[in-house]
Amino acid sequence: MIAIGAVIGGVTNFLAIKMLFRPHEPKFIGSVRVPFTPGLIPKRRNELASSLGKTVVKHLLTPEGMRKRLLDDQVTLHITHFVQREVQAMLRSEKTVQELLEPLYPNAEERIITLADEKLRAELSSAMAEVKERKLYEMLGEEGMDRVRALIPEIVDALLVKSEEYFYSTEGEAQLRHMVDSFVQRRLGFIAGFIQNMNFVEMVRPEIVNILRGQSTRDGMTTMITREFERFSERTVDTLVDERLELKLIDGITDQVVSRLPIGQLLNRPLSSYTQSVESRVVDELVPQGVTVVIERFTSEMETIMDRLKIDKIVQEQVQSLDTSYLEEIVLSISKREFRAITWLGALLGGMIGLIQGLIAIL
């Protein structure tokens, strides 16, 4: 009876353990499903996965535990060293900026030039729209207006000097002669024939030059031009610049600026040529500071981050994706000794029960 009880207890526990996992699929006799199939874990797999996911989030991967781990000095030091190595390798790269940008930003030079062209045109158009509404004296300012007023006497002097030079030039003399001859013909009629040999040009030209050299002429022209300038400065810029001229100005400025941008030269230089002077400061100062700031910012938002990650759903999906036989193998690899002990414990209890029954039967 002891042997029979031991066998029954051991086999019962062995079957109970097996029935946790086996069979993997439900079994049928005809259309009737065999009881206790599939095994407990395959049958409650979804519930197990969901419960395991919640347990992991609630008791294992908690925001507080993750925060404490990330703020550990050793972890921070390891992350800092890793980032420093990566940043240093990047800063010392002999690849050109163009080569580094190509995977992320193809045709960088062409695209940057196009972008600069579009941006500059837009900014110039916006600036012109604002400028066109303003008056000329507002654009020049009081200092600019005074500067123009101070230049007017110089302009008048230059005009008078050029006028005098003109009247003494071959072209000016011919023009003056034509004017004098026309005047004589109109005013003197038949008498002009008697005085046609007189050189009126030499008579008139000195008088014209004396007028041009006179102070009253200078003062008069200065006053007239100043008055016209003051009146002209009251006009808005849009009365001076039409749409065609505006477009021409924008095109000209944009073409000149964009054509002078050394985009190709800058992109075709190795990255190390830009970073050599700042490498030590970036690696030794900025990287540790940046890592500290990122970790502190990251840990301060740990609850939100973990909530967004849905770790319980990740665990649940991973458990559900595991093959049942593989899941059984994992559990058995962890608890094989315990399951064996349970089997032998069942045999021991069965034997003890058999012993008690035998003693009762004898008595």
Side-chain angles (χ1 to χ4, degrees):
M1 292 184 71
I2 294 174
I4 292 173
V7 170
I8 292 173
V11 171
T12 300
N13 280 13
F14 178 78
L15 290 176
I17 292 171
K18 285 296 182 184
M19 287 175 67
L20 291 173
F21 305 97
R22 304 295 179 94
H24 295 163
E25 302 293 337
K27 303 297 181 181
F28 293 89
I29 300 175
S31 60
V32 180
R33 183 171 65 85
V34 177
F36 306 109
T37 62
L40 179 61
I41 291 179
K43 185 177 181 179
R44 298 299 183 93
R45 182 171 180 166
N46 291 337
E47 297 175 29
L48 174 65
S50 177
S51 177
L52 186 59
K54 292 177 182 178
T55 301
V56 168
V57 172
K58 187 175 182 180
H59 300 288
L60 301 178
L61 292 177
T62 62
E64 185 59 33
M66 293 293 293
R67 184 184 297 110
K68 183 178 179 181
R69 185 59 179 162
L70 286 173
L71 291 175
D72 183 79
D73 292 339
Q74 292 299 320
V75 174
T76 301
L77 186 61
H78 177 76
I79 295 174
T80 301
H81 287 166
F82 171 77
V83 176
Q84 284 178 321
R85 287 195 303 270
E86 294 299 316
V87 170
Q88 189 175 58
M90 182 186 69
L91 296 180
R92 293 181 177 181
S93 175
E94 290 301 317
K95 289 185 176 181
T96 64
V97 178
Q98 175 78 34
E99 292 172 335
L100 294 173
L101 287 176
E102 189 63 26
L104 302 175
Y105 200 67
N107 302 319
E109 180 178 357
E110 180 180 347
R111 294 171 67 177
I112 291 173
I113 290 176
T114 301
L115 184 63
D117 185 280
E118 294 174 354
K119 184 66 175 177
L120 184 56
R121 288 181 187 276
E123 291 297 327
L124 287 174
S125 297
S126 177
M128 285 296 295
E130 180 181 349
V131 167
K132 286 168 63 176
E133 297 177 356
R134 301 173 65 181
K135 293 184 177 181
L136 184 60
Y137 74 85
E138 294 176 335
M139 295 295 299
L140 293 175
E142 192 60 35
E143 184 178 350
M145 292 288 290
D146 291 340
R147 177 60 179 163
V148 174
R149 294 188 189 104
L151 288 174
I152 289 176
E154 297 180 21
I155 295 173
V156 170
D157 288 341
L159 287 174
L160 293 176
V161 169
K162 290 298 181 182
S163 298
E164 183 177 341
E165 292 177 354
Y166 175 76
F167 282 117
Y168 278 101
S169 67
T170 303
E171 181 182 357
E173 184 178 350
Q175 181 67 25
L176 184 60
R177 188 179 301 280
H178 175 73
M179 292 171 59
V180 171
D181 290 344
S182 298
F183 175 82
V184 171
Q185 289 293 334
R186 288 195 310 273
R187 296 296 183 180
L188 301 182
F190 71 94
I191 300 177
F194 297 101
I195 59 176
Q196 60 182 352
N197 292 327
M198 297 180 63
N199 192 349
F200 287 101
V201 172
E202 292 301 328
M203 298 171 60
V204 172
R205 181 162 53 189
E207 296 302 323
I208 294 176
V209 170
N210 287 334
I211 294 173
L212 293 176
R213 292 177 178 176
Q215 186 62 41
S216 60
T217 302
R218 282 181 169 79
D219 294 341
M221 289 186 65
T222 300
T223 302
M224 179 187 66
I225 293 176
T226 301
R227 184 170 56 249
E228 289 302 314
F229 169 70
E230 297 290 347
R231 185 178 62 82
F232 188 79
S233 66
E234 293 290 334
R235 297 173 64 178
T236 56
V237 177
D238 62 343
T239 62
L240 308 175
V241 180
D242 58 15
E243 184 177 353
R244 182 181 61 82
L245 180 58
E246 179 184 349
L247 291 176
K248 189 174 181 180
L249 286 172
I250 292 175
D251 289 341
I253 295 173
T254 302
D255 291 342
Q256 289 298 320
V257 172
V258 172
S259 65
R260 286 172 167 76
L261 293 176
I263 303 299
Q265 179 182 352
L266 295 175
L267 291 177
N268 289 315
R269 288 176 57 184
L271 182 62
S272 58
S273 65
Y274 292 102
T275 61
Q276 187 175 7
S277 60
V278 297
E279 179 186 328
S280 60
R281 183 169 184 269
V282 171
V283 174
D284 298 332
E285 298 180 25
L286 298 183
V287 169
Q289 294 174 8
V291 169
T292 301
V293 170
V294 170
I295 291 178
E296 290 177 352
R297 180 62 177 167
F298 187 80
T299 53
S300 67
E301 298 293 330
M302 187 59 67
E303 288 85 354
T304 303
I305 294 171
M306 294 189 69
D307 182 63
R308 298 279 179 86
L309 288 175
K310 304 291 184 185
I311 294 178
D312 56 334
K313 297 295 183 184
I314 296 175
V315 174
Q316 181 179 346
E317 292 170 1
Q318 291 299 315
V319 172
Q320 289 175 338
S321 66
L322 291 176
D323 185 70
T324 306
S325 60
Y326 181 65
L327 187 61
E328 177 184 1
E329 182 181 343
I330 293 174
V331 176
L332 290 176
S333 66
I334 298 172
S335 306
K336 189 174 184 179
R337 288 185 178 182
E338 286 75 11
F339 286 154
R340 186 180 295 114
I342 292 172
T343 302
W344 287 110
L345 179 61
L348 177 61
L349 291 175
M352 293 176 63
I353 293 171
L355 174 62
I356 294 171
Q357 288 177 335
L359 292 174
I360 293 173
I362 294 172
L363 295 175

